[in-house]
Amino acid sequence: MRKIIGLLAAIWFAALLSLGSAHADPVKRKVIIDDEGFALMHLTLLESSKVDVIGITTVSGNTWANRATAMALRGLEIAHRPDIPVVQGATYPLLNSEALTERWESLYGKLTWKGAWMKKWVESTVQSAPVYYGPNDPVELPNGNPKLKASPEIAANFMIRMVHQYPGQITIVACGPLTNLALAQRLDPQFASLVGELVYMGGSFNPHQVLDNVSAAEFAREYANSPRREFNARFDPEAASIVSRSPWHKLTIIPADPSTATQLTPDLLARLARAAAPDIGKFIAAMEPGYPLWDEIAAGYVLDPTIETKSEDLYVDYDTQFGPSYGDTLSWREHYQPHLGEQKAHVVRAIDPKRLAALMVQAMVEGARSTK
């Protein structure tokens, strides 16, 4: 009888432990953000209660890496997150360059966006004109330079160190050119296999204009004649190809396709600003509207993958031959891939824009609540 009573007590105690664990707070997902600046994507992840951002690495793309680093540091000051390290990465693509890009344009036509190499829009747009900087120009940010300092480490080395420290636990959210990831993989062949998931914004398959009479539609026009071209991959095609052939445990691609159904409207900016903590709200309110939510889709997917409404698993690579398709996205369904190391990726083709906006607002609410 004593044995039976002891057994029942053990079962009861185990049930209590199980019940307690079922109601315990879920473990936050560890995230490294790899990008070329600081924007709503960063804030969505920083303010969310679902993830723990353990580092931000910077890379040249829309702007040079030194400027991107200053922007990330200043953003963390505004978000009151000095605990997060910012680590500068690659200044230049692996092989591509400004001179090569200008040569390419003289042969094959003008690119819509060239990032750090952009001097002016080819045609008039509602978006503000880009400001051109050199890779080593002094950085003077409009909202003041940061007092925080960047880590002395190199971005690729930082990511390698982190995935060895937390094997299989880190999600990397990459929303710029993939140069840092390619360098990390070349330095450490184990790198990709130690990452829990890579979610990157890049590539293009066949985007279509979804919204009418909004400025976001301007960005859909470029895909009519070049549906496979996207800036992040085009800036460093060789890096994109290396990443495509690396042995990731889980690889998710957010291409340009779903972005044409989204727009950073004045109304969305106002909703986000009202929901956010005061300093972050002021920062958001000063943002320029009219752009698609390219990177924010990646952040939203990390927080809730069910925002996708259309997806496909494909083998993906990028064209590294210097010709008219340089940097274009290559893709194959099962059995048709060339078997040159390309990896299967989960490609998000469409999302629910309203759910994405709601996720972003909710993240700001959570962040504001945590500061009280």
Side-chain angles (χ1 to χ4, degrees):
M1 179 61 73
R2 290 181 179 177
K3 290 183 178 179
I4 294 174
I5 293 173
L7 179 60
L8 289 173
I11 293 172
W12 176 77
F13 183 66
L16 283 179
L17 288 177
S18 176
L19 183 62
S21 63
H23 291 280
D25 291 335
V27 177
K28 288 186 177 183
R29 192 174 184 180
K30 289 181 171 61
V31 167
I32 293 174
I33 300 173
D34 185 59
D35 193 35
E36 74 273 68
F38 190 91
L40 280 173
M41 177 272 292
H42 298 76
L43 288 172
T44 299
L45 294 172
L46 286 168
E47 295 297 281
S48 173
S49 62
K50 296 181 180 179
V51 300
D52 176 20
V53 178
I54 63 171
I56 296 175
T57 54
T58 63
V59 66
S60 291
N62 287 330
T63 190
W64 293 107
N66 64 340
R67 189 172 183 84
T69 301
M71 292 166 68
L73 290 166
R74 184 66 187 118
L76 289 179
E77 288 180 343
I78 293 169
H80 302 289
R81 293 299 305 273
D83 54 301
I84 298 174
V86 175
V87 191
Q88 186 164 314
T91 297
Y92 301 102
L94 298 184
L95 292 178
N96 196 21
S97 68
E98 186 171 3
L100 280 172
T101 298
E102 291 175 353
R103 174 62 174 158
W104 187 95
E105 287 187 306
S106 71
L107 293 170
Y108 305 115
K110 302 300 182 183
L111 294 168
T112 302
W113 177 247
K114 294 185 289 185
W117 304 323
M118 194 79 177
K119 295 183 173 72
K120 63 180 181 179
W121 294 106
V122 175
E123 56 183 326
S124 59
T125 71
V126 298
Q127 280 74 35
S128 58
V131 180
Y132 181 81
Y133 300 98
N136 300 307
D137 286 352
V139 176
E140 294 293 336
L141 299 181
N143 58 354
N145 284 347
K147 294 182 174 60
L148 285 177
K149 301 299 181 183
S151 164
E153 202 168 3
I154 294 171
N157 290 340
F158 170 78
M159 289 192 286
I160 290 170
R161 181 168 61 84
M162 287 293 99
V163 300
H164 278 275
Q165 185 174 338
Y166 303 106
Q169 300 177 50
I170 293 176
T171 297
I172 297 178
V173 183
C175 293
L178 300 175
T179 316
N180 290 335
L181 296 172
L183 289 169
Q185 182 61 23
R186 284 297 186 254
L187 287 167
D188 180 4
Q190 287 187 301
F191 170 71
S193 64
L194 292 172
V195 175
E197 181 178 6
L198 169 62
V199 178
Y200 76 79
M201 191 276 132
S204 176
F205 293 80
N206 193 21
H208 294 283
Q209 181 174 323
V210 177
L211 298 176
D212 295 322
N213 301 319
V214 294
S215 57
E218 291 192 9
F219 292 93
R221 292 181 306 172
E222 66 177 290
Y223 304 117
N225 296 306
S226 55
R228 291 277 169 154
R229 186 177 304 147
E230 180 274 329
F231 168 73
N232 284 342
R234 178 59 181 73
F235 192 81
D236 195 342
E238 288 75 20
S241 183
I242 289 171
V243 168
S244 297
R245 298 170 187 228
S246 300
W248 308 97
H249 175 68
K250 187 177 182 183
L251 175 60
T252 300
I253 300 175
I254 312 294
D257 302 48
S259 70
T260 58
T262 68
Q263 187 191 18
L264 184 58
T265 62
D267 177 67
L268 178 55
L269 280 173
R271 288 171 60 196
L272 292 166
R274 286 195 301 268
D279 288 347
I280 293 175
K282 292 177 184 178
F283 181 73
I284 292 173
M287 291 181 175
E288 182 178 3
Y291 292 92
L293 298 172
W294 294 291
D295 299 351
E296 290 72 25
I297 298 173
Y301 180 87
V302 169
L303 298 181
D304 182 6
T306 64
I307 66 168
E308 72 171 40
T309 57
K310 182 182 178 182
S311 63
E312 188 173 7
D313 289 347
L314 296 167
Y315 290 91
V316 176
D317 201 349
Y318 295 89
D319 192 340
T320 58
Q321 302 300 311
F322 191 83
S325 300
Y326 182 53
D328 281 9
T329 308
L330 306 172
S331 63
W332 307 267
R333 291 190 173 94
E334 190 70 65
H335 307 301
Y336 290 89
Q337 71 273 25
H339 297 284
L340 297 175
E342 58 284 336
Q343 301 293 304
K344 184 178 282 188
H346 183 69
V347 181
V348 177
R349 301 294 296 271
I351 59 113
D352 183 338
K354 291 182 179 179
R355 289 188 64 187
L356 172 63
L359 273 174
M360 294 168 64
V361 171
Q362 180 59 31
M364 300 307 154
V365 170
E366 291 170 358
R369 188 182 298 144
S370 69
T371 61
K372 291 181 179 179

